[in-house]
Amino acid sequence: YRAVLPIFPRRKWGIGYHFRPFWGQQFGVISNEMLQDAEYEAIYQVASRDALYFEWVGHFGMGDVKWPGVRTDHANYVLHLAPSYQQIYEGYAKNTHRNLRKAENWKMAVSSDVSPEALISQFRANRGKDLSHLSEDDYARLKHLLYVIIHRGRGQSRAIYDETNTLIAGAFFAFHHNRIVFLFSSNTEIGKERRAMFKILDELIIE
């Protein structure tokens, strides 16, 4: 095959639909070569024939591909890490500089010694409380995904602990070729107050 499009079909009330699995960022056409827009369009047209509803998130750089149905463009932020840390730091927004200064006012430690279970548990106790559509199976799949990435040497957890050694924020990063993907995060009210997530990201960039 020159290209593959993963699809995830389901049926509800006898109606077929394709959905984007939770915890996945992009599920577009996968190919080792750059396809023409017309080829992308043909693939999506065929894949959508048997579904009344479908949701895909295409890859960055797909140009003006015409999707069947409604296309919505979302921002995909990419930070180039080739420059020195000082150059990257000077390019931070003023708000980021301000939040990093606030983070330095607190005694916090960054660690990679945190399990996927701890991050998921923290997420469920905070933001997850407002996401009632997420099931036990969804969280089980997330746990499995994070462990598979770790065991293949393609990712790492990061966490922030406060002065009492309590986890107040965490994140999971996946590595793919020359990119670091911010895949999943968890935060608490204390973590937000102390700007812990800014510190996690800044420490990762320093490394």
Side-chain angles (χ1 to χ4, degrees):
Y1 299 99
R2 292 178 54 222
V4 174
L5 172 64
I7 61 173
F8 305 89
R10 282 187 177 180
R11 297 190 71 83
K12 188 171 184 179
W13 301 317
I15 299 173
Y17 66 97
H18 299 162
F19 76 109
R20 177 175 63 91
F22 297 120
W23 323 119
Q25 290 188 342
Q26 298 180 357
F27 285 96
V29 174
I30 300 171
S31 177
N32 288 326
E33 58 186 273
M34 182 64 68
L35 303 181
Q36 299 297 316
D37 286 355
E39 293 177 300
Y40 282 118
E41 292 165 9
I43 293 172
Y44 285 113
Q45 287 289 350
V46 171
S48 64
R49 285 187 308 193
D50 299 324
L52 185 63
Y53 172 83
F54 46 87
E55 179 185 7
W56 290 303
V57 179
H59 300 305
F60 174 74
M62 286 183 62
D64 297 322
V65 173
K66 295 180 175 63
W67 296 62
V70 178
R71 168 175 167 162
T72 303
D73 291 327
H74 298 278
N76 182 41
Y77 297 103
V78 178
L79 176 63
H80 294 283
L81 299 177
S84 67
Y85 170 72
Q86 187 59 39
Q87 290 174 298
I88 295 173
Y89 179 83
E90 290 172 357
Y92 285 170
K94 291 182 180 179
N95 182 60
T96 301
H97 284 283
R98 183 165 54 250
N99 283 305
L100 287 173
R101 287 195 297 270
K102 290 180 179 179
E104 292 304 317
N105 293 329
W106 300 95
K107 186 177 180 180
M108 299 186 293
V110 180
S111 173
S112 58
D113 185 20
V114 59
S115 68
E117 288 94 338
L119 295 181
I120 294 169
S121 177
Q122 184 181 80
F123 177 88
R124 297 186 69 170
N126 292 275
R127 184 163 179 257
K129 291 191 296 186
D130 299 323
L131 302 175
S132 58
H133 59 283
L134 294 176
S135 66
E136 290 294 333
D137 285 344
D138 292 323
Y139 286 112
R141 278 190 285 269
L142 172 61
K143 175 184 170 182
H144 178 72
L145 171 65
L146 300 188
Y147 270 114
V148 167
I149 293 173
I150 291 172
H151 289 160
R152 293 183 179 181
R154 295 296 183 90
Q156 186 182 75
S157 299
R158 292 296 177 95
I160 290 277
Y161 293 89
D162 67 8
E163 63 275 10
T164 66
N165 202 35
T166 299
L167 176 65
I168 61 173
F172 189 91
F173 301 93
F175 312 139
H176 180 65
H177 294 302
N178 61 345
R179 287 196 177 196
I180 302 173
V181 180
F182 188 8
L183 189 63
F184 175 74
S185 66
S186 64
N187 212 340
T188 63
E189 289 304 317
I190 294 176
K192 293 175 184 177
E193 177 188 353
R194 299 188 180 190
R195 305 324 195 252
M197 200 58 65
F198 285 90
K199 186 172 180 64
I200 287 177
L201 294 170
D202 188 59
E203 291 286 339
L204 180 71
I205 292 170
I206 289 174
E207 292 184 11

